[in-house]
Amino acid sequence: MSVEGYRHRRTGTPCQDAWDSAQWRTGEGEDPVVVLAVADGAGSRPRSQEGAQLAVRLATEHFGREAAELRVPAGDAVHGLLHSAFQSVCREFLVAVEQTGARAQDFATTLTVVVITPDWLGHLSVGDGLVIVRAGTDADGAGLFHLLPQAEAASEYSNETVFLTSRDVGRWVRTDCVDDPGIDAVVLSTDGLTQAALTRFQTPNASFLAAVLGPMESPAKDPDDDEAELAELLRSDRLSAVNADDKTLLRAVRV
C-alpha cells in the first residue's frame, strides 16, 4: 500500500511513491518466482510520481522474467542476474522518458527490488528504501527480523538520495543474495517508514513489523478490513509526527 504523507495531504499533492508485485512461472509444477518492488519519487521533481510507477512496473517485468528463465543457483550468479535486470530496467526507463520530451531528471525515483525464488532471495536497491526479512525465532518463539544492507549514499558528505536518473547510477547499486530457507516473511518500504520500521539503533522494530504481518497470517482476517486498517495506520498522526513523507509498505508472507 502507498499513501500520501502529511505534507502532500496538506497541499493536495498526489502520493509520489509506488509499488508492484508479480509472480512468474516458466513451466507447470514449478514454484513461482516472486518479485516485489517499491519506489519513492523525488518530491522536488514534477513527474516523479510517473517515474516511480514506471520503475516498479519495469522492475517486476525484467527481474521476474530473468529470474524465472535463468534459474541460477545462489551465489555470484545472482548478483550478475540482478545487475543485468537492473540495466534492462534503466534502458527501458530512459527510452520511455525520452518519448515524453521531458527531462529524465523530472522522473527521478529510487527503486528497491526483492526477487524470491525457491532457492534464494535476491535484493537490489538504489536510494534509501528498506528491506527487512523474518527468519528464525528467539528463545520465546517470536520471529527474528533482519535488516538487509542498504545502498550507500552518493558521498560521505551528502545525504542526497541516489535516483535511477542519477549520473553513474550503477556505482551506487547495492545487490545481495540471501541463501536461507528459513525466511518466511519480507517487508519492503520507502524511507517514509524508516522511523516506524527501525529502532533508534537502526535495528528492525519487531513490534511494528509483527503488527503489520500478523493479519496476513490470520485466516480469519478479512483482507478488505486489513487493508483499511493498514491505510489508517500509515496515515496516523503517530507516524506522521515522526515522518511527513509519503509512505509505502509491501508485505509478503509464506503460508
Side-chain angles (χ1 to χ4, degrees):
M1 175 171 289
S2 293
V3 302
E4 67 285 353
Y6 174 73
R7 293 194 192 101
H8 285 169
R9 291 203 303 272
R10 188 177 59 186
T11 60
T13 304
C15 177
Q16 293 168 334
D17 282 2
W19 67 271
D20 197 11
S21 65
Q23 293 190 23
W24 286 76
R25 283 185 173 89
T26 55
E28 288 191 19
E30 289 188 346
D31 290 330
V33 169
V34 178
V35 185
L36 312 170
V38 299
D40 180 359
S44 60
R45 309 296 169 84
R47 303 185 70 169
S48 61
Q49 178 188 20
E50 297 171 69
Q53 293 170 344
L54 176 62
V56 296
R57 179 178 64 79
L58 293 176
T60 55
E61 176 184 344
H62 287 286
F63 282 84
R65 179 184 296 114
E66 293 210 22
E69 292 179 353
L70 298 179
R71 295 284 179 172
V72 301
D76 291 341
V78 172
H79 295 273
L81 183 152
L82 296 175
H83 279 284
S84 174
F86 177 71
Q87 290 168 0
S88 298
V89 169
C90 288
R91 283 195 298 269
E92 194 165 334
F93 185 92
L94 291 176
V95 168
V97 167
E98 287 175 1
Q99 292 174 348
T100 70
R103 299 184 313 151
Q105 292 82 356
D106 291 345
F107 295 79
T109 180
T110 67
L111 179 64
T112 303
V113 184
V114 167
V115 181
I116 306 170
T117 78
D119 303 313
W120 48 261
L121 180 148
H123 162 231
L124 179 142
S125 60
V126 175
D128 48 15
L130 302 175
V131 176
I132 297 171
V133 300
R134 187 180 66 189
T137 58
D138 63 16
D140 297 321
L144 294 173
F145 293 97
H146 312 272
L147 174 67
L148 297 190
Q150 295 176 265
E152 295 183 13
S155 123
E156 62 180 306
Y157 303 107
S158 171
N159 61 1
E160 183 179 351
T161 301
V162 178
F163 300 112
L164 284 187
T165 51
S166 297
R167 181 177 300 178
D168 297 329
V169 62
R171 293 177 54 198
W172 312 110
V173 173
R174 170 86 197 199
T175 62
D176 294 283
C177 174
V178 184
D179 183 7
D180 184 349
I183 293 175
D184 61 7
V186 184
V187 174
L188 288 74
S189 83
T190 53
D191 72 322
L193 283 170
T194 298
Q195 290 82 359
L198 302 180
T199 70
R200 61 190 179 95
F201 303 108
Q202 298 300 292
T203 58
N205 181 349
S207 60
F208 173 80
L209 295 163
V212 298
L213 289 172
M216 297 186 71
E217 299 173 297
S218 172
K221 188 69 175 181
D222 185 294
D224 291 335
D225 290 343
D226 175 34
E227 189 169 306
E229 290 172 7
L230 179 60
E232 183 178 359
L233 171 64
L234 297 186
R235 292 190 174 101
S236 67
D237 291 343
R238 179 166 61 90
L239 295 190
S240 296
V242 295
N243 194 314
D245 290 345
D246 295 337
K247 296 173 176 62
T248 291
L249 184 74
L250 182 53
R251 319 168 279 179
V253 297
R254 180 167 299 168
V255 294

